[in-house]
Amino acid sequence: MANTQAVCTSFKTELLTGVHALGTSVTRGSSAADSFKAALYVATATVNASTTAYSATNEVSGTNYTAGGASFSWSAPASSGTTAYTTPSANISWTTVTLATSFDCVLLYNTTQSNKSVAVYTFGATTVTAGNFTLTMPTNDATTGLLRLA
Amino acid sequence: MTTPLIYTINGNMPIEDLEYSTTWEDNESYTKLIETYKYEGEVVRESVHILTRQNLNLGLVQGTM
């Protein structure tokens, strides 16, 4: 046997489940998973890697869209090979919604942890009129999972 | 026989009175299906379904000592 340098795969999965606290600002009072939401933003917004938390500024508005967005849960983080991954456990959708101002991105954020942002996904300018808006999730695996630690 | 209705910005309308069309956008980032219902040229209902392909890698990098 030989030793091999690597970031341990279990560490990647455990990061996604909040096991490791490399800093001193984390406090743990519960073993329950955090709660998350998905909020939509207009095409003129600036939501990107620098976004630290949810903001109502430039969020879409319209019939049957509730400010703050839609709640969702993550699939239990898992790993395959050296990649840890997770994906929202179901499609995220808004029903019979009217969003007349062009929007093109969704921000996933953690409502339990002061609305801290997780990731931003863009999908081209979109409007919805008295219809359904559905974000279909990809297959949750090490190749196509929505969030992966490689 | 009941007339099939669909909800629109004008309330429930007979589907047979509406012009239905679909538009697809497909690129490396996403696939988008847009379903549009028009009445006399006006969009009265539009639904959008998106499959995101932007599987974001967090790319954890191990440094050296």
Side-chain angles (χ1 to χ4, degrees):
Chain A
M1 294 296 288
N3 298 311
T4 307
Q5 177 168 290
V7 175
C8 300
T9 301
S10 59
F11 175 68
K12 299 173 186 177
T13 306
E14 290 158 1
L15 277 179
L16 296 176
T17 55
V19 171
H20 301 282
L22 278 62
T24 58
S25 60
V26 175
T27 57
R28 298 189 184 87
S30 169
S31 61
D34 288 346
S35 298
F36 294 83
K37 282 191 172 182
L40 304 174
Y41 287 84
V42 297
T44 54
T46 304
V47 181
N48 52 32
S50 301
T51 301
T52 60
Y54 161 81
S55 168
T57 302
N58 288 320
E59 184 182 12
V60 302
S61 63
T63 303
N64 288 331
Y65 181 88
T66 302
S71 297
F72 72 93
S73 300
W74 294 95
S75 299
S79 66
S80 177
T82 58
T83 300
Y85 58 90
T86 181
T87 300
S89 57
N91 297 336
I92 303 171
S93 61
W94 289 263
T95 303
T96 316
V97 67
T98 295
L99 301 171
T101 303
S102 178
F103 63 100
D104 68 355
C105 105
V106 59
L107 170 70
L108 308 184
Y109 67 99
N110 187 330
T111 60
T112 305
Q113 303 298 337
S114 305
N115 291 339
K116 293 184 188 303
S117 59
V118 174
V120 179
Y121 298 86
T122 58
F123 40 76
T126 302
T127 58
V128 183
T129 304
N132 302 325
F133 179 67
T134 304
L135 292 169
T136 302
M137 293 300 129
T139 300
N140 184 36
D141 62 24
T143 303
T144 59
L146 203 67
L147 207 56
R148 303 195 302 273
L149 268 169
Chain B
M1 185 175 177
T2 304
T3 302
L5 303 175
I6 191 169
Y7 183 76
T8 73
I9 57 174
N10 297 328
N12 289 330
M13 300 181 69
I15 290 180
E16 62 187 11
D17 291 347
L18 307 179
E19 175 188 340
Y20 175 77
S21 63
T22 59
T23 304
W24 288 88
E25 293 179 24
D26 189 23
N27 54 52
E28 61 181 16
S29 296
Y30 61 87
T31 296
K32 182 190 294 184
L33 165 63
I34 304 169
E35 296 181 281
T36 303
Y37 291 85
K38 289 184 178 180
Y39 179 69
E40 296 181 348
E42 177 192 13
V43 173
V44 293
R45 180 185 171 96
E46 187 171 67
S47 293
V48 180
H49 313 276
I50 293 171
L51 170 66
T52 179
R53 303 182 188 283
Q54 296 174 70
N55 323 115
L56 298 180
N57 264 324
L58 292 171
L60 205 59
V61 178
Q62 181 180 25
T64 56
M65 298 179 187

